[in-house]
Amino acid sequence: MNELYVVSKFGGTSMGDVECMLRSAQIVLRQKSILVVVSATSGTTNELIELSKISEKSSWDNALLIITKIKVKHLKMARELEMNPEKMENLHQLFEELESMSRGIHLLKDCSLKALDSILSIGERLSSHLFTEALSIVFKRANSEYKAQWLDARDVLITDDQFSKARPLTSEIKRRCEEQLSGIKHTNTVYVTQGFIGKTKLGMTTTLGRGGSDYSAAILAEGIEANILEIWTDVAGIATTDPRLVSSARTIAEISFKEASELATFGAKILHPATLLPAIRSDIPVFVGSSFQPELGGTWVKKDVEDAPLVRAMALRKKQILVTLSTPEMLYSHGFLYQIFKVFNDHKVSIDAITTSEISVSLTLDDSTLINHDLILDLEAFADVAVEENLALISLIGNNINHTPGLAKKIFETIPDINVRMICLGASKHNFCFMVAEELGAVVINRLHETFIGNLV
Ligand code: ADP
Ligand code: ASP
Ligand code: MG
């Protein structure tokens, strides 16, 4: 018999309160997941970021207010789960750790990315203890032979030391999974672990970047050679666009790895952009569904899908900037693009879309890049640099996009009154993207959705 080995990931809203946790635990029971990856409880990561800022810059009393808020929220959940004192101790240790770290930041008036990652890890470490308890309750109520076991993700998910955006070290993770989780497929133990966090080889806590729990789950699914990855969230699958933007957005039953990767990279928050890398590498189908309404089904993301529509979905990415570099030296010369990419490479900043003309190059970036003053200075060393802010990147995702006559005409006919600041077409058969003013992003998506998806049955 072909056994199914399922890794299930639950996002912050699925950990929102005890009711959410118990509902999510029911899904684990029903799906027979062998490894469960959880996010911090809803809002906690934001609170921890706030705490680190306040600890560094404001009064200790203000920091204590946030610590208390986080404590009260988690202790309430622990009480509702009737956690015994021994298990409660795990939570108290984490609260102490949180307070000591915040105090350290406050005294030094310095919060490095390394310190921030340790602070942020507390969110997932707390929620995973609570969820282990919720899962034990559900197993017990169902008279299941399965047992829930807490696992420190940092023992297996080893990363490099790029704090706040650490990269997993795949072969080391594989080795650790084999060493520590070899029995996972043959015991009645279901491991509950943290998404988002990892550890360097030297033992420092790292994080994979905001929304990184999806990525953690995919890395671990690959590490233990699971054959299904489930992402449980607050919507019933990947929709034709963000349902918060367009109320008529529809769930997509099946989408290819390539299309879903483009969608995630170009702004669909439902999946962390890197999530599909391990899934593609190891050909693990991914299911996305709602932990609130699992009966609604969801989306399968897989290598091969039956249909390949021209426009499957669309995404909006806000807070974009356009950096234009110009220099007459580019005329008839070579090596200019190399110089540019080298600077971006040195600063480890990724470029999303790019267009070039005779003497200039325009690149789209996330506006968080602007914090990196040195990047701009290094670019200014060999070109005039113009930065335009408050832009939105609109992407249409589908198939055969670069070989279909009339598509661009149809797109731009829907927005004759809107200035398009940059267009990127041709590099991918799955993507057509362009930039508009940020405040018009939602209007553009609504019109495109109406044209390309809304009027389909
Ligand atoms: P989680 O905390 O479970 O990881 P996220 O908030 O990160 O959940 O992602 C789920 C959200 O992604 C949805 O609530 C939805 O607003 C947003 N989203 C963006 N694009 C899409 C899309 N194409 N399909 C479905 N949801 C989307
Ligand atoms: N808790 C982290 C965040 O809010 C990771 C995640 O939820 O995926 O970004
Ligand atoms: Mg998420």
Side-chain angles (χ1 to χ4, degrees):
M1 192 182 71
N2 225 347
E3 284 278 1
L4 287 183
Y5 298 111
V6 179
V7 170
S8 303
K9 175 259 168 179
F10 293 89
T13 43
S14 306
M15 295 288 112
D17 55 26
V18 164
E19 198 185 326
C20 294
M21 282 200 177
L22 291 172
R23 203 187 297 119
S24 300
Q26 290 287 352
I27 294 176
V28 173
L29 173 73
R30 208 191 48 224
Q31 301 299 102
K32 299 195 168 64
S33 322
I34 55 172
L35 176 64
V36 183
V37 178
V38 300
S39 290
T41 57
S42 180
T44 302
T45 306
N46 287 345
E47 283 158 11
L48 290 166
I49 291 175
E50 182 70 9
L51 171 63
S52 65
K53 285 188 189 144
I54 286 187
S55 302
E56 185 183 16
K57 299 207 163 89
S58 176
S59 73
W60 180 239
D61 282 350
N62 286 342
L64 274 181
L65 282 178
I66 303 189
I67 295 177
T68 308
K69 189 174 169 194
I70 294 172
K71 258 185 178 174
V72 167
K73 171 164 66 175
H74 290 87
L75 285 175
K76 179 173 178 276
M77 291 172 80
R79 268 195 305 276
E80 284 171 21
L81 289 166
E82 295 176 10
M83 250 185 171
N84 68 30
E86 198 188 317
K87 289 182 180 159
M88 283 284 230
E89 190 45 36
N90 292 320
L91 304 186
H92 287 298
Q93 273 176 16
L94 289 171
F95 298 139
E96 268 171 37
E97 194 178 323
L98 182 61
E99 193 167 330
S100 310
M101 288 191 293
S102 309
R103 186 83 191 153
I105 289 168
H106 182 69
L107 292 173
L108 295 169
K109 298 265 174 280
D110 181 31
C111 182
S112 63
L113 291 176
K114 195 189 225 179
L116 179 62
D117 276 359
S118 287
I119 294 251
L120 294 188
S121 76
I122 300 285
E124 268 68 12
R125 287 158 70 199
L126 284 167
S127 65
S128 55
H129 277 296
L130 292 169
F131 191 71
T132 309
E133 192 62 20
L135 189 57
S136 300
I137 293 173
V138 164
F139 282 156
K140 212 162 157 193
R141 283 185 195 156
N143 287 324
S144 163
E145 85 248 42
Y146 287 97
K147 300 257 169 307
Q149 167 77 46
W150 187 83
L151 169 78
D152 193 333
R154 296 169 300 172
D155 290 340
V156 273
L157 211 150
I158 306 302
T159 71
D160 67 8
D161 62 358
Q162 285 187 64
F163 296 98
S164 87
K165 48 175 183 198
R167 306 259 217 131
L169 304 180
T170 318
S171 42
E172 183 64 22
I173 293 169
K174 180 96 201 105
R175 197 178 65 73
R176 300 233 180 177
C177 283
E178 274 160 15
E179 233 171 60
Q180 297 176 42
L181 297 171
S182 59
I184 196 167
K185 292 176 182 164
H186 316 291
T187 60
N188 58 1
T189 304
V190 177
Y191 288 95
V192 176
T193 196
Q194 310 79 44
F196 183 50
I197 70 171
K199 194 169 76 175
T200 65
K201 278 188 182 164
L202 294 178
M204 303 309 303
T205 297
T206 54
T207 68
L208 306 182
R210 291 305 304 269
S213 296
D214 303 326
Y215 189 24
S216 299
I219 295 161
L220 294 172
E222 179 179 49
I224 64 163
E225 295 179 10
N227 37 25
I228 291 183
L229 168 63
E230 297 175 344
I231 306 280
W232 294 98
T233 178
D234 58 354
V235 287
I238 302 178
T240 45
T241 194
D242 188 342
R244 279 186 232 183
L245 276 180
V246 180
S247 55
S248 58
R250 283 196 299 269
T251 302
I252 300 164
E254 273 191 356
I255 185 170
S256 69
F257 278 141
K258 284 186 181 146
E259 291 167 278
S261 297
E262 295 267 2
L263 198 56
T265 309
F266 282 86
K269 195 189 168 215
I270 183 130
L271 286 182
H272 180 277
T275 311
L276 295 172
L277 294 175
I280 294 171
R281 216 163 36 212
S282 300
D283 198 9
I284 305 171
V286 180
F287 174 79
V288 185
S290 162
S291 73
F292 294 79
Q293 290 175 290
E295 68 284 357
L296 293 183
T299 303
W300 278 102
V301 189
K302 346 187 260 189
K303 190 164 155 211
D304 300 311
V305 292
E306 271 179 17
D307 62 335
L310 175 62
V311 178
R312 171 100 66 187
M314 50 202 66
L316 167 66
R317 194 153 142 181
K318 287 189 176 170
K319 297 189 178 164
Q320 299 298 291
I321 57 171
L322 188 65
V323 177
T324 302
L325 306 158
S326 9
T327 168
E329 279 163 37
M330 192 174 156
L331 203 62
Y332 306 124
S333 73
H334 58 85
F336 186 63
L337 287 177
Y338 166 77
Q339 262 183 306
I340 295 174
F341 287 128
K342 182 162 183 327
V343 174
F344 281 93
N345 183 55
D346 291 346
H347 289 275
K348 297 195 165 82
V349 169
S350 77
I351 299 165
D352 297 316
I354 173 165
T355 58
T356 74
S357 81
E358 238 176 330
I359 58 157
S360 51
V361 178
S362 285
L363 314 146
T364 76
L365 309 168
D366 230 69
D367 72 356
S368 54
T369 321
L370 286 183
I371 303 167
N372 191 342
H373 299 297
D374 292 348
L375 167 77
I376 304 291
L377 287 178
D378 286 355
L379 292 170
E380 278 171 349
F382 60 91
D384 291 335
V385 181
V387 176
E388 288 170 63
E389 297 180 63
N390 303 322
L391 293 167
L393 188 62
I394 309 282
S395 312
L396 273 91
I397 313 294
N399 297 278
N400 214 25
I401 282 191
N402 51 358
H403 285 106
T404 305
L407 175 63
K409 179 169 183 275
K410 198 167 169 189
I411 292 172
F412 294 119
E413 267 174 2
T414 64
I415 49 166
D417 51 335
I418 291 175
N419 183 44
V420 174
R421 189 52 201 86
M422 183 227 206
I423 302 172
C424 211
L425 164 72
S428 162
K429 57 181 173 190
H430 300 291
N431 184 325
F432 186 130
C433 64
F434 56 93
M435 281 191 133
V436 297
E438 187 171 78
E439 71 271 16
L440 297 173
V443 176
V444 174
I445 288 282
N446 269 278
R447 287 200 207 160
L448 291 174
H449 197 271
E450 173 67 28
T451 302
F452 287 97
I453 290 160
N455 51 7
L456 300 178
V457 182

